[in-house]
Amino acid sequence: MTIVPKRLGVKFSLKRATTLQPDDILPIFQRWIQEHRVEGMLIDVVDYKHVPDGPGVVLIADEADYAYDLTDGKTGLNYIRKRDLPVDLEAALRLCFSRALAAAGALETEAPGDLAFDYCSAKISFLDRLQYRNLSAACENTRAPVTEILSEVFGSPVAVSRAYDDPRSIFALECRVEGGDVSAEGLLKRLQRAGQLS
């Protein structure tokens, strides 16, 4: 069984450049707290826009964070599960994908302008430097189970590669499904039909 990391992140980057600014996200995330718009015990919104290539605007929840993330110059919606992850990697990935998809879809609906995420591609971050050091061995040990799980989630073959070569970076995988246009709603329906959506 592949070890589940202490924290697990799923990020969907923007499909194309947008006129939307991080400042436009702040009131949306604040409203989500008031309206309980996404899953979790929502606590606060923190502004990290001043950090270059940083987490951007973060909606803090008790068990997870939702970020309008600016890391690597790729703006996107990043869901990071901080605790209470399922004990096996398949269930953990399905949970994180479902929460990231729901939040990204909600943000597309509520944000003004031309916001659209690329659901054919995702970055999975294994935020556990003890169990997942960013070395080629971690990629080799993790690639097969992640590829199998995500191919089922997407309903198509998925290419999985290591996101960062520098061993000082976090261990993360870039995942891409080729062909077709994938929507958040369509992927959520696949997860629901599988009966494994938490």
Side-chain angles (χ1 to χ4, degrees), residues 2 9 30 88 104 146:
T2 306
Q30 288 164 344
D88 69 88
V146 168

Side-chain angles (χ1 to χ4, degrees), residues 92-155:
L93 276 172
R94 287 178 176 278
L95 171 65
C96 291
F97 259 80
S98 68
R99 299 291 165 83
L101 287 164
L107 196 54
E108 283 180 332
T109 300
E110 296 184 35
D114 53 355
L115 187 73
F117 294 103
D118 178 8
Y119 298 109
C120 292
S121 180
K123 183 172 83 172
I124 302 172
S125 300
F126 294 75
L127 301 159
D128 184 341
R129 290 185 186 270
L130 181 62
Q131 302 292 342
Y132 286 93
R133 296 176 62 203
N134 188 27
L135 302 172
S136 56
C139 184
E140 292 308 311
N141 293 335
T142 312
R143 188 195 319 257
V146 168
T147 301
E148 182 179 351
I149 293 163
L150 295 188
S151 293
E152 182 184 340
V153 168
F154 282 99

